Amino acid sequence: NFDKEQFELSRFKKLPYGQQEQLLQMAFQTDVMVISKDIITIIESSDIIPTIKSLALLLLGAAGVQTEVTVEKFGFKETVIPTAPPESTAVDRVESIKQYIENSLSKDPTKLEMTLEMVHRHAYTLFPFDWVGYTNETVANKYMEYVDALFGNSELEPDEFFQLLIELELSVEVLS
C-alpha cells in the first residue's frame, strides 16, 4: 500500500526525480482512482519535468481515467483524455523512424544503438505529443545528424528541430 499524501503536489514536487518516478511506477499496481485528482494536478503543474508528466499520463490511461488533462511541455499544449491520447504520438511513430535509422546505420552498431535509444527516450518524454511538422524520415535523419555531431564528425546547423532535440535531451538527463 502507498501513502496517498505523497502524491499531493506540494510534497511530490519536493521529491528527487528518481523518487517521483518510483512512486508513479508503484502506483501502476494500485487503485489510482483515489489519487487521480492529485495525478492530474501533477501533470498540469509547471514544476514537474516532462518525463514524469508522461509517466503520470500513462498511469491515468492504464487506470481508465477519462477526465480531461491539460498537458504542456516543449512549447506544446493540449487537453487530452488519458484513455484516448492523440492519434499520432511520437511513441506511435518510433517503429517507422527506427527502420530508417537501422537501414542507414546498419554498419555502425555503436551509433545505431545510441540513436535508437535517444529516439525512444525522446518519444516517451514528448508523449502525448509528437515531432510535429517533420516526416519520419526527417526525424530519423536529424537524430543521425545529431549523433554524428556528438561523435565529432560534423557540425550541427542549429534549427528548430535541433533546439527541440537538445531540450528533450536535457530534460531526460536530469533523471539519470
Side-chain angles (χ1 to χ4, degrees):
N1 262 330
F2 65 99
D3 178 2
K4 287 195 286 238
E5 288 160 14
Q6 293 275 54
F7 292 92
E8 289 169 9
L9 183 62
S10 57
R11 287 183 62 179
F12 188 84
K13 70 182 184 185
K14 290 179 187 153
L15 297 171
Y17 301 130
Q19 224 173 321
Q20 290 178 359
E21 185 179 26
Q22 228 175 350
L23 262 178
L24 289 169
Q25 292 285 5
M26 288 174 3
F28 273 94
Q29 315 305 319
T30 61
D31 177 14
V32 176
M33 291 305 182
V34 293
I35 53 166
S36 65
K37 279 188 175 55
D38 290 318
I39 305 272
I40 290 170
T41 305
I42 286 168
I43 295 168
E44 292 182 341
S45 168
S46 59
D47 294 330
I48 301 298
I49 63 167
T51 305
I52 297 296
K53 288 184 180 194
S54 295
L55 183 58
L57 189 62
L58 290 166
L59 172 66
L60 291 182
V65 173
Q66 297 191 9
T67 311
E68 287 190 340
V69 186
T70 301
V71 187
E72 190 170 2
K73 52 185 167 177
F74 305 112
F76 301 115
K77 182 179 184 174
E78 194 170 334
T79 300
V80 296
I81 294 170
T83 53
E87 269 181 36
S88 174
T89 68
V91 175
D92 297 323
R93 294 177 60 190
V94 165
E95 266 318 298
S96 306
I97 292 166
K98 187 177 148 188
Q99 287 169 350
Y100 283 109
I101 295 169
E102 284 172 343
N103 291 340
S104 301
L105 295 178
S106 58
K107 291 178 176 56
D108 192 338
T110 308
K111 277 187 191 170
L112 175 64
E113 187 181 342
M114 196 171 163
T115 309
L116 291 179
E117 277 178 18
M118 194 178 287
V119 168
H120 275 273
R121 273 198 318 268
H122 292 183
Y124 176 73
T125 303
L126 263 172
F127 185 82
F129 302 113
D130 185 3
W131 295 281
V132 177
Y134 297 95
T135 65
N136 292 340
E137 189 173 6
T138 301
V139 171
N141 286 328
K142 291 284 191 183
Y143 273 91
M144 290 185 288
E145 262 179 72
Y146 182 74
V147 169
D148 212 40
L150 291 180
F151 277 87
N153 298 335
S154 63
E155 292 281 311
L156 278 186
E157 288 295 319
D159 64 18
E160 270 183 42
F161 188 92
F162 288 126
Q163 281 175 312
L164 173 62
L165 196 155
I166 290 161
E167 257 186 85
L168 282 161
E169 197 52 10
L170 291 172
S171 81
V172 172
E173 278 174 9
V174 297
L175 271 174
S176 47

